[in-house]
Amino acid sequence: MNTPTTHQKNQSKIATSFGSASQSYDVSARLQRFSGKHLMPWLPNRNDLRVLDLGSGTGFFTDLLAGSYNQVIGLDFSKNMLQFAQQSRSKDIAWLEADAHQIPLQDESIDFIYSNLVIQWCEPLDEAIKEMLRVLKPGGLIIFTTLVEGTLHELKSSWRQVDDDQHVIDFKTEEQLDEYFNTDASSILEHKCQNIILEYQNVIHLARELKGLGANHLPKKKNRGLSGKDKWFAMTEHYQDFLEPSGIYPATYRLYSGLVVKLNN
Ligand SMILES: C[S@@+](CC[C@H](N)C(=O)[O-])C[C@H]1O[C@@H](n2cnc3c(N)ncnc32)[C@H](O)[C@@H]1O
């Protein structure tokens, strides 16, 4: 048997982390709901289309898509997420357990890809984009959101004052996304970037929400154990610098939404 590569090990840990959150995900998903709905105006208004929801999670948006389009496929690499989706969503959806870097679909077989808050987890991103473009028909669309640099900057800077370990994943910049999608093979038709500021009662509330979303696997984290009570306490003290007069703790999510077309080459 082949030994798994670092990439495969990381992907498998991300999948496990999301999988363990499959039951709590829908209650913690305020940002995901907002961002996914926000893509709706870009959806094509023909229904005879074959659609791929890439990183479908609990299938909330896959189900909405299935209400409008003929053939909908939900793809996710987390078995638990897929099981949850399969049990709770429309029977007409086809579910695929697969990695976005190796999509088990034929070339040019999909009309558009919908992907809400997934590609920030795809490393290397260019390989995932290559796969998306391979399965898309010429002229097909990628309609997606992701998080870019600036996301969770309050948490990042509070931790930075305590140690140099990784506590928040590295997000791409808007410029990097432009470079990834504006190539010979694809082009960004429209994009938007906005800060969404969510409010938390305390830092534990924020940490619980990130855990409830399964968004807590950090590939570059050196210290794999708990961060230590003292360090955690010191970080929360620094987070107080961001406290709003109302006593609420803000966390910024910098949301990038993109409409990309596969070029006819
Ligand atoms: C933040 S959740 C979003 C779920 C869903 N799109 C939604 O809007 O509710 C990210 C999902 O992407 C999946 N995911 C992350 N990286 C993936 C990859 N490389 N291949 C397939 N699925 C992936 C995770 O398992 C998780 O279910």
Side-chain angles (χ1 to χ4, degrees), residues 7 11 52-55 75-78 96-104 113 115 118-119 121-135:
H7 164 77
Q11 297 301 96
L52 172 65
D53 182 5
L54 189 89
L75 176 150
D76 205 289
F77 65 3
S78 156
L96 272 183
E97 183 184 337
D99 186 338
H101 298 85
Q102 262 183 307
I103 304 177
I113 295 175
S115 184
V118 178
I119 67 166
W121 298 103
C122 292
E123 206 50 65
L125 179 56
D126 52 351
E127 280 180 22
I129 295 174
K130 213 167 138 194
E131 269 299 88
M132 292 189 233
L133 294 173
R134 179 185 66 73
V135 301

Side-chain angles (χ1 to χ4, degrees), residues 56-128:
S56 45
T58 60
F60 180 88
F61 289 105
T62 333
D63 211 37
L64 286 185
L65 292 167
S68 302
Y69 299 101
N70 271 3
Q71 277 190 66
V72 177
I73 302 165
L75 176 150
D76 205 289
F77 65 3
S78 156
K79 211 184 260 307
N80 289 357
M81 281 292 193
L82 281 172
Q83 260 168 14
F84 181 95
Q86 215 154 3
Q87 283 158 12
S88 4
R89 312 297 178 194
S90 159
K91 298 277 170 276
D92 294 335
I93 300 168
W95 300 101
L96 272 183
E97 183 184 337
D99 186 338
H101 298 85
Q102 262 183 307
I103 304 177
L105 290 174
Q106 285 183 353
D107 296 0
E108 306 192 355
S109 59
I110 295 291
D111 292 291
F112 77 87
I113 295 175
Y114 172 96
S115 184
N116 183 37
L117 292 178
V118 178
I119 67 166
Q120 68 275 13
W121 298 103
C122 292
E123 206 50 65
L125 179 56
D126 52 351
E127 280 180 22

Side-chain angles (χ1 to χ4, degrees), residues 90-262:
S90 159
K91 298 277 170 276
D92 294 335
I93 300 168
W95 300 101
L96 272 183
E97 183 184 337
D99 186 338
H101 298 85
Q102 262 183 307
I103 304 177
L105 290 174
Q106 285 183 353
D107 296 0
E108 306 192 355
S109 59
I110 295 291
D111 292 291
F112 77 87
I113 295 175
Y114 172 96
S115 184
N116 183 37
L117 292 178
V118 178
I119 67 166
Q120 68 275 13
W121 298 103
C122 292
E123 206 50 65
L125 179 56
D126 52 351
E127 280 180 22
I129 295 174
K130 213 167 138 194
E131 269 299 88
M132 292 189 233
L133 294 173
R134 179 185 66 73
V135 301
L136 270 183
K137 294 178 186 171
L141 300 172
I142 307 175
I143 302 169
F144 75 99
T145 60
T146 189
L147 296 171
V148 290
E149 198 173 275
T151 296
L152 297 174
H153 72 87
E154 300 89 350
L155 186 61
K156 226 174 184 172
S157 86
S158 303
W159 270 120
R160 206 177 303 122
Q161 296 184 64
V162 176
D163 66 23
D164 62 356
D165 208 348
Q166 188 192 34
H167 297 278
V168 176
I169 63 165
D170 295 329
F171 296 100
K172 303 260 182 299
T173 62
E174 290 173 52
E175 293 71 26
Q176 283 173 319
L177 284 183
D178 289 349
E179 282 170 24
Y180 276 110
F181 285 104
N182 280 326
T183 63
D184 294 348
S186 64
S187 165
I188 301 179
L189 296 176
E190 277 185 60
H191 86 275
K192 258 190 256 172
C193 218
Q194 59 188 311
N195 284 341
I196 312 287
I197 299 173
L198 294 188
E199 297 184 333
Y200 297 87
Q201 289 133 20
N202 48 49
V203 187
I204 293 181
H205 180 200
L206 166 64
R208 284 210 185 113
E209 188 162 290
L210 295 176
K211 191 158 188 272
L213 292 170
N216 51 344
H217 175 68
L218 301 160
K220 294 191 198 152
K221 191 163 170 57
K222 290 178 251 168
N223 177 4
R224 288 267 144 223
L226 292 172
S227 288
K229 267 193 187 158
D230 292 347
K231 280 189 177 180
W232 171 267
F233 181 73
M235 181 278 283
T236 59
E237 289 285 292
H238 290 296
Y239 212 115
Q240 307 267 341
D241 295 346
F242 301 99
L243 199 63
E244 287 169 0
S246 57
I248 286 294
Y249 290 76
T252 303
Y253 296 85
R254 191 150 175 77
L255 184 70
Y256 182 106
S257 329
L259 176 64
V260 168
V261 65
K262 172 174 170 172

Side-chain angles (χ1 to χ4, degrees), residues 6-20 77 214 216-219 224:
T6 311
H7 164 77
Q8 285 164 334
K9 281 189 207 154
N10 267 330
Q11 297 301 96
S12 150
K13 283 182 187 155
I14 298 170
T16 307
S17 168
F18 274 106
S20 62
F77 65 3
N216 51 344
H217 175 68
L218 301 160
R224 288 267 144 223

